[in-house]
Amino acid sequence: MLRWGVLSTANINNRFIPQLLKSPRSQVTAIASRSIEKAESAAKMWNIPKVYGSYDDLLTDSEINAVYIPLPNSLHAEWAVRAAEQGKHCIVEKPITTKISDVDKLQKVAKEHNVLIVEGFVHIHHPQFKAIKEKITSGCIGALQYMTGSFCFKVDQEDNIMYSREHDGGSLWNLGCYPISLMIALLGESPQTVTAMKCETKSGVDGTCHCILQFSNSRHGCISASCIASSGTNFEIIGSKGKISLNKIRAFHPDCGDNANYFDVSVSGEPEERVTVPNVDAFLSEITAFEASVLDGISPVVSLELSKLIVTTIIALHKSACQGGMPVSL
Amino acid sequence: MLRWGVLSTANINNRFIPQLLKSPRSQVTAIASRSIEKAESAAKMWNIPKVYGSYDDLLTDSEINAVYIPLPNSLHAEWAVRAAEQGKHCIVEKPITTKISDVDKLQKVAKEHNVLIVEGFVHIHHPQFKAIKEKITSGCIGALQYMTGSFCFKVDQEDNIMYSREHDGGSLWNLGCYPISLMIALLGESPQTVTAMKCETKSGVDGTCHCILQFSNSRHGCISASCIASSGTNFEIIGSKGKISLNKIRAFHPDCGDNANYFDVSVSGEPEERVTVPNVDAFLSEITAFEASVLDGISPVVSLELSKLIVTTIIALHKSACQGGMPVSL
């Protein structure tokens, strides 16, 4: 049984905690906030037994053996390390960190303390992902040639954390990470070379970023990410014989509900096929997979090795964008 | 009155000549082919009075004052120069040339012989283009931020001219040129810097090309072109307040018929608006505009200056793709 502590009262708790409460192998034991009032209010809402006014206090609670970390991006690694040092398994919201050295630290601390640390990429946990991977492997769309993905929606509030340079805001770390991670998870490799161009916001983060990822065997990824324009969301996988299209609306959104339970396969000369998968909440898939890894020893869906490929790629894209599109090799 | 000669019996004549025949200010006077039999067969089909077994013979026919040049890409400039030297106005199929020096030559010869030379970008002549430009200018989608365009369909025949290195085949010159030209025509400028990555075919042309175009004021274009994968066709213009979407199917195709007579405008918080434009055949728009330029002195829609921006951009994209995505400044 996993007994969870939740570090902070971030909005995403509204998606994560209800799924934790549904899961028979998990229970929500405690929640912490720097504001004890906020922690108490959240505890009351979800009937969580314990509240803490500091993250450190929660981490020393020996009853807790798993921690959910939905803190601002810039704090993810620090608190995952501290949690691991206290012997807690962790799900850390994406991006798990924005520094390679932090991934190394997380790998080290996880090994030393024999805990599992997993990045919270909900879309990779959804049954849709496995079904797509099987479809590609079946060869029905032929040899994979390129993938296109975009995740672009306008965040109106100028004080939103997505615009904060200090907290590693911007379109790539917060939105582009979805299609980027999906491409890397599907191919099982990071790109060899990337190039990117960006449009900066007044606050100094990448408001929009366009990226080309060159993978092995001349396979490409083409990505648009934006937090200043609402051009929508889509993902397509193009092969020599056909393509797989994820629903264009909210394909990466945690609460995409019915929109994530299918995808379309078009093979030239054949009628379009709609493949339906179990309509599971992606957070519940994530929690169930995490439980299976911790309690049954099943390999994690999003390993720290995979997270490292993703972080390395996004750092390279940032570097390219800062150098006006100069290709960056990984 | 324009009295046309057609240089060659290319398939695209099936789209162009029927529109010429409809136009009251044009008549089809002659057709030439290196094979006199092919020329005779085409002349019979469209009831064209004169046939020639050589392009040069047609060009010396003093009755003819306008020439349509749908030859292979690599021959466009050479024959446009020869036609202009004989005092003929020309519509040259896209790409008008694949060399900057050729555009300079065309500008010079057009001036010297007082003729009009126009690149055959049908989509820029369609009323859809003008209506989109007016919509952007109206400010309803806010400040233009980026545009995405793709034109990807698989050409199965390995001996198709699109795979010919000698005839300047490949995805960029033949398909990418549509969204690229549309972006440049809409903004009235070439990009400042471009980056591109390609996947080469066995024949040595770019089978797929992904491109990022950086325009002034941090505006971007993001383009996918492919003749080896059928991922489809679309074009979107994204502003700070909303976006304009062209019909995803065949937006750039000359015979797109009903699909080109509208576009959709989405502004956040408002119901989507479908803007309908006259359902004119794009070739007829092109011919009508050409007649108005030659006979009435109206400025051409696709000027040689615009063609030069487009050719310069595609050459820069090729250069970047050949250098693994290195940014190329224009």
Side-chain angles (χ1 to χ4, degrees), chain A residues 238-309:
Chain A
I238 292 106
S240 52
K241 289 195 220 160
K243 65 173 178 172
I244 294 172
S245 309
L246 274 70
N247 189 290
K248 292 198 183 295
I249 318 270
R250 298 155 91 193
F252 305 121
H253 212 276
D255 63 352
C256 55
D258 284 352
N259 289 313
N261 77 329
Y262 66 86
F263 55 89
D264 295 316
V265 183
S266 319
V267 175
S268 54
E270 292 176 23
E272 187 168 273
E273 179 197 6
R274 175 153 292 186
V275 178
T276 305
V277 298
N279 197 7
V280 184
D281 182 287
F283 280 110
L284 186 57
S285 304
E286 178 179 76
I287 291 162
T288 307
F290 187 77
E291 292 162 348
S293 292
V294 172
L295 303 173
D296 311 329
I298 307 289
S299 296
V301 177
V302 181
S303 65
L304 282 178
E305 287 72 31
L306 177 59
S307 291
K308 190 169 178 173
L309 298 180

Side-chain angles (χ1 to χ4, degrees), chain A:
Chain A
M1 173 68 77
L2 295 182
R3 294 175 304 276
W4 291 83
V6 177
L7 281 200
S8 96
T9 56
N11 284 335
I12 200 152
N13 285 352
N14 297 324
R15 307 294 319 161
F16 189 83
I17 294 177
Q19 302 307 320
L20 264 186
L21 294 170
K22 277 185 200 166
S23 178
R25 303 180 91 187
S26 283
Q27 62 189 35
V28 194
T29 301
I31 188 162
S33 170
R34 287 170 304 171
S35 145
I36 187 80
E37 292 78 18
K38 281 192 179 174
E40 277 166 353
S41 158
K44 200 173 160 190
M45 177 159 49
W46 287 302
N47 207 16
I48 300 172
K50 298 185 189 178
V51 293
Y52 289 105
S54 105
Y55 306 144
D56 274 321
D57 288 350
L58 182 147
L59 293 183
T60 52
D61 183 332
S62 61
E63 198 190 353
I64 291 166
N65 58 7
V67 169
Y68 176 56
I69 304 179
L71 290 163
N73 297 348
S74 54
L75 302 175
H76 286 171
E78 177 189 343
W79 286 98
V81 167
R82 292 205 205 186
E85 283 169 349
Q86 297 295 328
K88 321 297 191 201
H89 306 284
C90 308
I91 293 183
V92 189
E93 262 312 318
K94 39 67 42 184
I96 193 165
T97 170
T98 56
K99 295 188 193 73
I100 302 286
S101 58
D102 278 346
V103 189
D104 295 335
K105 253 186 239 169
L106 290 169
Q107 286 182 313
K108 190 162 168 272
V109 78
K111 201 175 171 188
E112 276 173 10
H113 295 272
N114 197 28
V115 294
L116 184 72
I117 303 177
V118 162
E119 186 169 17
F121 272 124
V122 286
H123 58 297
I124 299 178
H125 286 93
H126 195 279
Q128 196 184 36
F129 173 75
K130 201 177 161 198
I132 288 169
K133 207 163 174 178
E134 284 168 2
K135 205 74 193 175
I136 295 171
T137 310
S138 81
C140 73
I141 61 162
L144 197 150
Q145 297 192 328
Y146 57 94
M147 294 180 275
T148 60
S150 66
F151 195 1
C152 304
F153 72 86
K154 193 178 178 184
V155 176
D156 280 320
Q157 306 73 18
E158 281 193 21
D159 60 347
N160 187 289
I161 199 162
M162 222 181 274
Y163 291 116
S164 162
R165 213 179 143 88
E166 185 195 347
H167 288 111
D168 299 328
S171 63
L172 273 186
W173 282 121
N174 293 280
L175 300 171
C177 65
Y178 284 94
I180 291 165
S181 61
L182 190 48
M183 288 181 188
I184 293 172
L186 282 171
L187 295 178
E189 64 176 33
S190 58
Q192 298 173 332
T193 310
V194 301
T195 178
M197 288 188 182
K198 68 175 168 178
C199 170
E200 274 200 4
T201 63
K202 273 184 290 179
S203 64
V205 301
D206 50 307
T208 298
C209 213
H210 296 289
C211 315
I212 310 173
L213 287 63
Q214 168 113 46
F215 292 92
S216 64
N217 300 318
S218 290
R219 295 172 302 182
H220 289 164
C222 194
I223 284 164
S224 299
S226 182
C227 55
I228 58 173
S230 290
S231 69
T233 303
N234 67 65
F235 198 86
E236 289 197 330
I237 301 153
I238 292 106
S240 52
K241 289 195 220 160
K243 65 173 178 172
I244 294 172
S245 309
L246 274 70
N247 189 290
K248 292 198 183 295
I249 318 270
R250 298 155 91 193
F252 305 121
H253 212 276
D255 63 352
C256 55
D258 284 352
N259 289 313
N261 77 329
Y262 66 86
F263 55 89
D264 295 316
V265 183
S266 319
V267 175
S268 54
E270 292 176 23
E272 187 168 273
E273 179 197 6
R274 175 153 292 186
V275 178
T276 305
V277 298
N279 197 7
V280 184
D281 182 287
F283 280 110
L284 186 57
S285 304
E286 178 179 76
I287 291 162
T288 307
F290 187 77
E291 292 162 348
S293 292
V294 172
L295 303 173
D296 311 329
I298 307 289
S299 296
V301 177
V302 181
S303 65
L304 282 178
E305 287 72 31
L306 177 59
S307 291
K308 190 169 178 173
L309 298 180
I310 299 164
V311 171
T312 308
T313 301
I314 297 178
I315 289 170
L317 286 165
H318 267 291
K319 196 173 163 189
S320 175
C322 287
Q323 298 176 354
M326 194 63 73
V328 173
S329 294
L330 276 81

